[in-house]
């Protein structure tokens, strides 16, 4: 297929030297100050690639409220925002995307996430302009059941545009087989470039609690219903029967917070539960807090390449994850234990208690950093430009 490039291993530097900085446009439905996994991913790679001097990077994103600056900077990366509609829903129909793509003289357009109207708009505009584009799926979950139900139809409708991409980027190995099958696109068209993490070193926590200590459980992820925090909270009374001093830190922020606080109050758990987030920029504080956790729990119904879980593992802390998707992949590799996220509260409580009493402390492993991720993307962009 014209414009397609052969995939290479993540982190490969590429053999073609860059004669001039790449002009890269990263298109993402949401961006800082909105917080989430995709937003963090784009911030991490865009700022690093722009700072490297090898690429001129612009992030094109949308604004539902119209209150953010239309032109801004994140480090050395330029940020452009166009209005999106409707304000009441997260569909992100943004007519301003097309003109930016068609008029920018870009070497490559990188679309991040396929779940909103941003995806077809961006791919169609790039195709009409003859600009090569690549796609990272970020195929995470969503709290709206209807959005889950239409994913298959959504992929089918997007297939013609996805098939024209110069490369399709997976952040976890299971995605390659899943999307290749669902889209009827050969696996050779995919390239694996995992997410990274950037936690600074933290004091190593002990693998066992000190006698009389208060065990700390952390439930990880943005506060969305599909992330499963409510399941950990529901299991906490049974945990407290066996470990009365246990505490739960629900580590995140998001639209489901009020529902979680109501659940905590109804169960009489106010003294045992903290719901709070660590600001994105305070990485040392995040490392400190995660290093104090006795067991981290991630019961999301779907995660592609869970960054928070990787951060926990990098700090050598026990991790209990949901079966399936990227979380289950960590368990399959021996880094964590897994449980069906639909299991009843007593079963989840028993799994948590097992980790407190007989933790699976993962062997130290080298996980990709954001520098690795940014370098792999730059190498891919160079190959795309050479093939165009």
């Amino acid at each position: 297929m014209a414009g397609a490039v052969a995939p290479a291993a993540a982190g490969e530097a590429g053999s073609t030297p860059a004669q001039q900085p790449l002009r890269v446009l990263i298109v993402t439905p949401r961006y800082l100050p909105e917080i989430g996994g995709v937003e963090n991913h784009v911030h991490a790679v865009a700022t690093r690639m722009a700072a490297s001097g090898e690429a001129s990077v612009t992030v094109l994103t949308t604004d539902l409220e119209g209150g953010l600056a239309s032109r801004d900077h994140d480090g050395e990366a330029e940020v452009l925002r166009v209005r999106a509609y409707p304000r009441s829903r997260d569909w992100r129909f943004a007519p301003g995307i097309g003109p930016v793509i068609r008029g920018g003289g870009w070497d490559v357009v990188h679309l991040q996430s396929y779940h909103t109207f941003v995806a077809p708009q961006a791919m169609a505009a790039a195709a009409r302009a003859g600009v090569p584009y690549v796609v990272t799926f970020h195929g995470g979950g969503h709290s709206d059941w209807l959005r889950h139900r239409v994913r298959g139809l959504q992929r089918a409708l997007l297939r013609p545009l996805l098939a024209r991409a110069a490369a399709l980027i997976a952040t976890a190995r299971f995605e390659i087989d899943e999307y290749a099958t669902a889209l009827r696109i050969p696996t050779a068209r995919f390239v694996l470039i995992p997410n990274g993490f950037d936690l600074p070193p933290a004091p190593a926590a002990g693998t066992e609690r000190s006698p009389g200590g208060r065990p700390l459980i952390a439930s990880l992820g943005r506060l969305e219903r599909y992330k499963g925090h409510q399941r950990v909270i529901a299991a906490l009374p049974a945990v407290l029967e066996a470990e009365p001093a246990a505490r739960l830190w629900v580590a995140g922020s998001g639209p489901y917070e009020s529902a979680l606080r109501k659940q905590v109050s109804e169960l009489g758990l106010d003294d045992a539960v903290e719901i709070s987030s660590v600001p994105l920029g305070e990485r040392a504080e995040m490392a400190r807090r995660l290093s104090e956790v006795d067991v981290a729990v991630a019961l999301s119904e779907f995660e592609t390449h869970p960054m928070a879980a990787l951060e926990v593992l990098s700090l050598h802390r026990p991790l209990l994850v949901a079966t399936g998707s990227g979380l289950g992949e960590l368990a399959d590799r021996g880094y964590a234990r897994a449980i069906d996220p639909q299991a009843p509260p007593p079963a989840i409580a028993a799994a948590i208690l097992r980790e407190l009493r007989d933790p699976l402390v993962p062997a130290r492993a080298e996980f990709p950093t954001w520098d690795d991720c940014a370098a792999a993307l730059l190498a891919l962009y160079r190959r795309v430009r050479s093939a165009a």
Side-chain angles (χ1 to χ4, degrees):
M1 188 202 71
V5 298
E12 179 182 313
S15 58
T16 302
Q19 297 177 349
Q20 58 185 0
L22 291 151
R23 285 184 50 79
V24 177
L25 180 68
I26 300 177
V27 185
T28 182
R30 298 164 26 121
Y31 196 58
L32 307 181
E34 295 186 85
I35 297 297
V38 177
E39 294 84 344
N40 185 32
H41 174 104
V42 177
H43 161 75
V45 298
T47 53
R48 283 166 170 78
M49 290 190 294
S52 74
E54 297 185 44
S56 170
V57 179
T58 299
V59 176
L60 174 60
T61 189
T62 69
D63 179 8
L64 286 176
E65 301 295 329
L68 299 172
S70 60
R71 187 178 296 268
D72 203 351
H73 279 84
D74 184 10
E76 296 182 41
E78 184 178 26
V79 180
L80 302 179
R81 296 185 180 90
V82 296
R83 286 299 306 275
Y85 308 92
R87 288 181 59 180
S88 60
R89 302 300 298 267
D90 197 29
W91 297 347
R92 306 277 171 162
F93 179 73
I97 285 175
V100 175
I101 292 176
R102 292 191 295 270
W106 314 106
D107 290 310
V108 61
V109 171
H110 186 169
L111 173 65
Q112 304 270 359
S113 184
Y114 73 95
H115 306 100
T116 70
F117 284 116
V118 168
Q121 288 178 278
M123 289 189 287
R128 286 195 297 268
V131 180
Y133 59 91
V134 301
V135 180
T136 301
F137 292 97
H138 296 294
H142 200 281
S143 295
D144 187 335
W145 68 270
L146 181 59
R147 295 282 282 271
H148 279 294
R149 292 287 297 273
V150 302
R151 285 283 170 86
L153 175 62
Q154 194 174 23
R155 293 174 183 177
L157 293 174
L158 290 176
R159 184 192 178 280
L161 289 167
L162 291 169
R164 295 184 63 173
L168 300 171
I169 303 169
T171 59
R173 293 187 184 279
F174 80 90
E175 281 191 301
I176 296 177
D177 288 336
E178 177 179 316
Y179 284 108
T181 300
L183 297 169
R184 304 186 311 282
I185 294 176
T187 57
R189 296 285 314 287
F190 291 77
V191 57
L192 175 65
I193 303 180
N195 289 326
F197 65 92
D198 61 351
L199 279 185
T207 58
E208 296 182 3
R209 288 182 285 120
S210 59
R214 296 191 66 190
L216 176 61
I217 305 156
S219 183
L220 307 173
R222 178 172 164 78
L223 305 189
E224 299 267 9
R225 190 177 188 280
Y226 78 92
K227 292 288 188 178
H229 297 293
Q230 71 278 8
R231 302 181 187 281
V232 185
I233 293 171
L236 189 58
V239 173
L240 291 173
E241 288 181 9
E243 292 278 359
R247 299 163 294 151
L248 172 63
W249 172 33
V250 179
S253 62
Y256 202 49
E257 180 173 347
S258 60
L260 293 175
R261 291 192 180 279
K262 180 180 179 182
Q263 180 187 14
V264 168
S265 180
E266 289 176 347
L267 291 174
L269 298 172
D270 299 85
D271 292 338
V273 178
E274 172 193 352
I275 301 177
S276 67
S277 62
V278 176
L280 182 63
E282 296 184 12
R283 307 304 289 154
E285 176 63 10
M286 176 61 84
R288 183 192 69 79
R289 292 215 61 178
L290 288 179
S291 71
E292 296 174 348
V293 167
D294 290 280
V295 57
V297 184
L299 294 187
S300 178
E301 295 171 6
F302 191 95
E303 293 292 329
T304 304
H305 195 249
M307 290 177 280
L310 288 181
E311 290 173 345
V312 166
L313 293 174
S314 76
L315 294 169
H316 211 49
R317 307 312 304 137
L319 178 65
L320 176 66
V321 300
T323 52
S325 70
L327 290 169
E329 192 170 288
L330 292 176
D332 292 341
R333 295 168 64 188
Y335 294 129
R337 290 190 176 118
I339 187 172
D340 184 342
Q342 306 295 329
I348 293 175
I352 292 172
L353 288 168
R354 179 185 181 188
E355 292 305 312
L356 289 175
R357 295 167 176 173
D358 180 26
L360 172 62
V361 180
R364 295 197 182 276
E366 292 295 328
F367 294 105
T369 67
W370 284 120
D371 289 336
D372 296 330
C373 184
L377 288 173
L378 283 170
L380 176 63
Y381 298 160
R382 287 193 289 269
R383 295 195 298 276
V384 167
R385 182 171 67 176
S386 296

